[in-house]
Each structure stands twice: as structure tokens, then as C-alpha cells.
Amino acid sequence: MIKAILVDDEKLSLDLLTKQLHAFPEIEIVKAYSQQTNILEDIKQEMIDVAFLDIELTEGNGLDLAESHIYCFCYSPCPACCQSI
């Protein structure tokens, strides 16, 4: 099972992506976020495999979120991204 989170500040886009991903039974949507609030706390508790991020967010940028936080929560340290853990 692939565990995923979704982040998009537009409800319509978030709903559409959720609907499209339901066509793939191997993907479990752990949580869908319309704001960046609580994402980091939740990610630390739930090991996720993939994050679907909106690029332009009201409160920032999805790429900045991924670069600064999400990619470092991998299952085990890897030389490419988790040297600082």
C-alpha cells in the first residue's frame, strides 16, 4: 500500500485529485490538507510514501515545503536526502 498526503488550497482541485486517486486501490490517502497547518506534525506520526503538493499555495510554496521538510521523513537515512537526520 502506498500512503499519500495531498496538499492544495483549492477545494475543487483537492476533491478532483482525491477522486482520481481513488481509482488506484494501491494508494491510501492518509490525509488531504487545504492549508499547511499541522502537516509537519502529522507527517512525523504517519510514515508517508508520496506527497501530492500544489505549487502555488496561499501560505507559501509546495516546493519549498517539500524541500525543507517532507523529503527528510524517509523510512531510513539515504545518502541523497537524509544526511542531516
Side-chain angles (χ1 to χ4, degrees):
M1 182 68 63
I2 298 170
K3 293 185 175 188
I5 62 166
L6 316 177
V7 181
D8 198 318
D9 55 351
E10 296 180 23
K11 184 176 178 355
L12 184 61
S13 297
L14 197 57
D15 291 345
L16 181 61
L17 181 57
T18 300
K19 183 178 178 180
Q20 290 174 332
L21 289 174
H22 280 292
F24 300 92
E26 64 274 8
I27 297 177
E28 173 192 355
I29 298 172
V30 175
K31 195 162 184 181
Y33 299 88
S34 59
Q35 301 177 26
Q36 291 187 34
T37 311
N38 298 327
I39 294 173
L40 299 178
E41 293 81 17
D42 292 350
I43 291 172
K44 290 177 186 178
Q45 294 175 7
E46 186 78 44
M47 295 302 271
I48 62 161
D49 299 303
V50 64
F52 293 87
L53 302 171
D54 185 10
I55 301 299
E56 296 291 328
L57 296 167
T58 304
E59 301 172 13
N61 182 308
L63 294 176
D64 290 340
L65 178 66
E67 182 178 58
S68 63
H69 299 291
I70 291 177
Y71 77 91
C72 284
F73 294 108
C74 48
Y75 290 102
S76 61
C78 57
C81 67
C82 296
Q83 294 176 2
S84 62
I85 295 179

